[in-house]
Each structure stands twice: as structure tokens, then as C-alpha cells.
Amino acid sequence: MRRGWFGLPFFGIKPEPAVVSCTLSGGGSRASFQVGALRYLYRHDPTFAPSVFVGASAGSILASGLAQFADRDEQLDWLEGFARIWDAMPDSDAMFTPRTWYRKMLDEAPSWLEIVQPPAPAERPPSRLPRPAFFARNKAPESPPSPEPALDPVQFALTPDQELHSTWSLEQLSTIASHVGRLPRMGSDVSAIWAGLERTQSMYRPGPVLLQLLEPDFFSPARVADSGNRVRLAMVALESGELRYMTESGQIVDRSNRVFDDEHHDLVLGVLASCSIPGVFRAVPIADETYVDGGTRENLPAELAIGLMGASRNYVVSSHNGGVARRESMANASIFSVVMRSTEILIDEAGRDELEYAISAGALTIYPEVSVHDSMDVTPALLRINTDYGWIRAAEHRLGLSAQVARRHRRIVEQRMVCAKREAAWFDEPDNVNRQTAITMAKEHLRTLLASGHPDALPAGAQDWWKGFEAHAQPVDVEPWWC
């Protein structure tokens, strides 16, 4: 009997020969990694012919789009179309467009703080004239004041709060008086922001890239239903807190793949719900419940694909690299920062478990070891680098390359990131000779690293990466001076 996570058996599941599943994780703009990995698999792995697609969040867009076609060549053609749309994004607004109220709040917040924040304390003049030096000649030098001892953490936790009082001064009143003409407009802005927040219930709306990806010519729920493929898109119901999936026919099933709702819904709603990051995008009502991003419970829903869909060969592609970037000390961080950081850690831990499950179940599991960019970063250079990295990681797994070779490839990716960063800095000061020199040194080092890469694992044209600029939103009309 096959056994899965925590040694639990998959009751009644008998793998069907020649049935291949593909599970795609969430990750926002980091779906670029998955694009590169899928490109490699379609072109170099003849056994990669998925008919079962499971996705969460951004992975649900890829999963449902690929599932429109039974033929793997047609799936690859659609993937290339997806990549063209994805690579054309100039900035984060293309994916995460700020709501009007949120943009207004960001624009106006500095002015509000200018009015209400307390002024910096002025230096007090000495209370008396300084003594002549000869009076103090034999006086022992004053020792610096001792720093106040840090409050004991236990004492800090158990000490009741003191009553807070606002300190007002004539200077603050003068500041407010100087802005009195703006107060009516501020009141109007606050009302507009509050109304916008209540109405939209999110900071962003999906940007134009999602509209392009869901255009009827590019994505058709009818094509998905008629393809013969099976689809599961992860989403979470806010009312019950339960993880559910929308199928290729628009039905909703529970995490055990049992039908929860006999009604057939529009698959586009399932895609939107699966991508609805809480607070970032608005939750999506479907039937009697309201749904958000499936990644809040299963960012990599491999267990459903491997354990309950009956495939004999399973591919899992995750854009999650396992681990969170270290932050500076958060001892004095705001409550909002602490909550956001804790959520980031919780999601990371869940992602680790899901990845470990996929590996333990024998799936061909492809994931990054370097975080090229975060999930809301849309920088053209980093998107392209991450796409190429996905290709490389898929090749490493497919070819069974050693950890030593993987480390060489990782250094190549990291060096391209260095090049992209230095190029961006040079754009700000194109006449800065030092920044030009820094780019030259970075490109020469990249050329050296590329020579150590495995030729069958690097994308076509990789040996020329060092010869040109990385992708940028603004056109680069300067010939590379370093080659």
C-alpha cells in the first residue's frame, strides 16, 4: 500500500499508468520560475505529458491555461504566449494596481504626519555662562552619563501600561494653524479613503496582465472542460476556513476530492479566487461562501495531486525556495511589521512541509535554491533571470546533476542579479565612470562563471549573457562597452 505524508496510506488510490500530474505552487510574480521549468520539461522530457493539473494562486493561472489542450505541443504554444505577456510587464502596477483610495493614502500620508507629529526638541542653551578654564584646571573630568539599563523582558511583559498623554506646544499649534486651509481637504480625503476601503476591501486590483491572460481568445473555460484534462484550483472559504478546489467543469470539491457543491461555476471565478491574496486583492464570492487565495492553506497542493488524483508520474514545480530572508533587529518594530513578518514565517513553514511531502512521495520536484525576487516584485531583469533559473533547475533534476554543479549554476544566477543591480544604478548616473567600471567587472566575472556551467543545463544563448544588458523597462540604446 502506498503511504503518504506522516505515513498515512492513500486508501483506494491505484495509480493509472501513463497518467501524469503537474502541480504548480503560488508565488505571485515568481511564477516566472515555473515558466522556465515548464519550458525545459516540455522541450526535453518526453514523459512530461500532463493530463492532471493542480494549482494554487499564480500557479492556478498556469494550470488552467495549460489544461485547455490535450496535446503537449499545444500546451507549450500556450506557455510561450503566457511568457510573452509575462515578460512584457514593465513594473509592479501591471500585476498589482493600487486602488484609488490606497494610492491617495500613500500620497497624502507624509503631509498628515507633517501636521500631527511632534516637533523635534530644540537644544536648550546653557543655564549659566561657562566658567573660565583656569577655575576648572584641577577639577576631575566629568564622567559620561551611564546608559539606562535595559528593561527586563519579564518585567516589561508584566508591567501595566501607563496612561498616555499627548504633549501639545505652541509650536505644534502654530504648525496646525499654518495648515488650517488644508484641513477641509484632508477631511474630504480621509472620507474618500475610508469609503474606498469599505467598498473595495482591498489595497490593489488585478493589473492589466491578468486581464490579458483571461481574454476569451487566450483562456476559455469551455476549452478546459472539453480537453479531457482534470483540473483542481486551490482556494479557501473565509466563512468555514476550509480548503476547497474548483474543477475543470466548475464544480467545487473538498480537500479529499469529494464534491462539495453540485453547481457548475465559471472557471474564471475559480482562477480569481485562487489568486485573491487576502487584503491585497478582493475576496471572491462563489455560491454561499467567499473565497481567497488557496495559498493561505496550501501554497503547494501536491498532496491532492499525488495522493488522490491517481497519477503514476507526478511533477511538482514550486516557486518557493524554502526560507525567509533575514531582517534587521525587530525588537522595536511596529505591531503591523511583527504580524506581517510572522505571517511570512508561517507561510514559509507550511511551504517547507508541502515541499518535503512531494519529495518523500517520489515526485519529480523542482524548486529554487535562490530567491531572485519576491512575490510582488515586477522588475523585468529579475523576471528573466528567474525564468532562466527555472529552466536550469528543471535540467538539474532531469539530468541528475550533482550538488556541486548546482552550486556553480547558483553562482551564475546570483552574478546576473549583481549585474542587473549595477546596471540599474548606472541608469541613474550614466556619466559615472565608477559605475561603468563596476558593470565591466561584474560582466567579466559572469563570463568566467558561465564557462563552469553544465552545457546541457543552461538555456540556449546562455554563454552570451555576459555580452549584453539584462532586460529593463526603459530602452537601452548604448552599446556594451565591456566586450
Side-chain angles (χ1 to χ4, degrees):
M1 179 180 292
R2 294 176 66 215
R3 292 186 176 271
W5 204 223
F6 301 121
L8 297 175
F10 295 138
F11 293 108
I13 297 301
K14 184 177 180 181
E16 301 174 35
V19 173
V20 177
S21 77
C22 176
T23 301
L24 299 163
S25 79
S29 61
R30 289 186 293 191
S32 51
F33 177 87
Q34 296 169 321
V35 171
L38 290 169
R39 270 177 168 166
Y40 177 87
L41 293 173
Y42 276 114
R43 294 180 181 182
H44 296 282
D45 185 352
T47 63
F48 184 68
S51 59
V52 173
F53 294 90
V54 180
S57 197
S60 69
I61 303 175
L62 280 166
S64 57
L66 293 169
Q68 295 176 97
F69 311 99
D71 182 76
R72 67 192 304 275
D73 290 334
E74 290 183 293
Q75 292 174 0
L76 175 57
D77 287 342
W78 183 89
L79 178 67
E80 293 299 343
F82 177 96
R84 285 191 293 272
I85 295 172
W86 205 256
D87 287 345
M89 290 190 293
D91 52 39
S92 297
D93 278 10
M95 184 179 291
F96 305 95
T97 303
R99 297 279 188 185
T100 303
W101 73 264
Y102 184 56
R103 195 184 292 276
K104 181 181 285 290
M105 187 187 75
L106 294 177
D107 292 342
E108 297 296 335
S111 299
W112 301 343
L113 290 175
E114 179 186 340
I115 295 175
V116 301
Q117 68 183 355
E123 292 187 8
R124 296 180 61 184
S127 57
R128 57 183 179 180
L129 294 174
R131 290 164 61 91
F134 59 82
F135 281 127
R137 187 172 298 162
N138 298 322
K139 184 178 179 180
E142 293 184 5
S143 58
S146 301
E148 294 185 9
L151 195 61
D152 177 78
V154 176
Q155 180 183 358
F156 183 76
L158 300 179
T159 300
D161 289 341
Q162 296 180 347
E163 187 177 354
L164 298 178
H165 298 279
S166 296
T167 304
W168 287 92
S169 66
L170 289 175
E171 186 174 356
Q172 281 178 285
L173 292 174
S174 174
T175 300
I176 292 176
S178 67
H179 291 85
V180 70
R182 295 167 54 193
L183 293 181
R185 185 175 65 81
M186 280 181 55
S188 175
D189 287 342
V190 171
S191 297
I193 289 170
W194 183 256
L197 172 59
E198 284 194 319
R199 185 172 63 252
T200 64
Q201 300 174 353
S202 62
M203 295 182 290
Y204 298 86
R205 59 178 175 81
V209 68
L210 188 58
L211 297 178
Q212 288 181 269
L213 294 173
L214 294 178
E215 280 285 335
D217 289 343
F218 194 70
F219 177 71
S220 166
R223 279 200 298 266
V224 178
D226 295 340
S227 68
N229 294 321
R230 287 179 287 165
V231 175
R232 299 293 183 272
L233 308 181
M235 52 192 190
V236 174
L238 289 175
E239 289 80 2
S240 64
E242 292 295 328
L243 174 68
R244 309 201 199 285
Y245 296 87
M246 185 171 284
T247 73
E248 68 280 355
S249 65
Q251 281 188 301
I252 297 177
V253 299
D254 64 15
R255 67 192 311 154
S256 298
N257 206 30
R258 295 179 299 229
V259 175
F260 171 76
D261 181 2
D262 289 327
E263 187 177 347
H264 294 265
H265 306 279
D266 186 349
L267 192 61
V268 171
L269 286 178
V271 173
L272 290 175
S274 188
C275 295
S276 183
I277 306 168
V280 176
F281 296 137
R282 188 174 186 177
V284 178
I286 302 176
D288 296 330
E289 293 192 290
T290 312
Y291 289 90
V292 295
D293 193 328
T296 55
R297 273 199 177 271
E298 290 279 351
N299 197 48
L300 181 64
E303 188 173 357
L304 176 74
I306 297 170
L308 296 169
M309 301 296 285
S312 58
R313 186 169 177 82
N314 299 284
Y315 291 80
V316 175
V317 185
S318 173
S319 59
H320 178 78
N321 67 312
V324 294
R326 182 174 177 79
R327 299 280 184 89
E328 298 297 325
S329 173
M330 298 191 69
N332 298 313
S334 68
I335 186 172
F336 178 78
S337 298
V338 171
V339 170
M340 292 299 291
R341 179 61 168 174
S342 300
T343 302
E344 184 181 15
I345 294 169
L346 284 170
I347 292 174
D348 174 70
E349 186 62 25
R352 286 171 183 255
D353 290 344
E354 294 155 3
L355 202 58
E356 288 297 329
Y357 165 75
I359 295 170
S360 72
L364 195 152
T365 308
I366 302 165
Y367 58 93
E369 292 183 332
V370 175
S371 180
V372 176
H373 58 86
D374 66 36
S375 60
M376 293 185 70
D377 183 1
V378 179
T379 302
L382 299 183
L383 291 181
R384 302 286 180 85
I385 294 170
N386 208 27
T387 300
D388 291 333
Y389 186 39
W391 174 290
I392 292 170
R393 288 293 287 163
E396 289 171 357
H397 284 271
R398 170 71 179 159
L399 300 172
L401 301 182
S402 67
Q404 182 181 15
V405 174
R407 282 194 294 273
R408 293 178 197 160
H409 294 158
R410 190 162 64 242
R411 286 196 289 270
I412 291 172
V413 171
E414 290 169 339
Q415 188 60 25
R416 286 186 70 189
M417 294 164 63
V418 170
C419 291
K421 183 176 181 180
R422 292 185 180 180
E423 289 170 17
W426 173 74
F427 288 145
D428 293 335
E429 293 184 77
D431 296 327
N432 189 316
V433 176
N434 291 333
R435 292 189 172 179
Q436 287 184 338
T437 303
I439 292 175
T440 300
M441 294 175 62
K443 296 292 184 178
E444 290 176 350
H445 187 40
L446 176 60
R447 177 176 59 177
T448 302
L449 293 174
L450 284 167
S452 68
H454 194 289
D456 294 333
L458 298 178
Q463 294 300 329
D464 293 332
W465 281 343
W466 71 277
K467 293 182 179 180
F469 288 94
E470 295 292 343
H472 296 280
Q474 65 269 50
V476 183
D477 55 1
V478 177
E479 288 296 322
W481 58 82
W482 56 87
C483 60

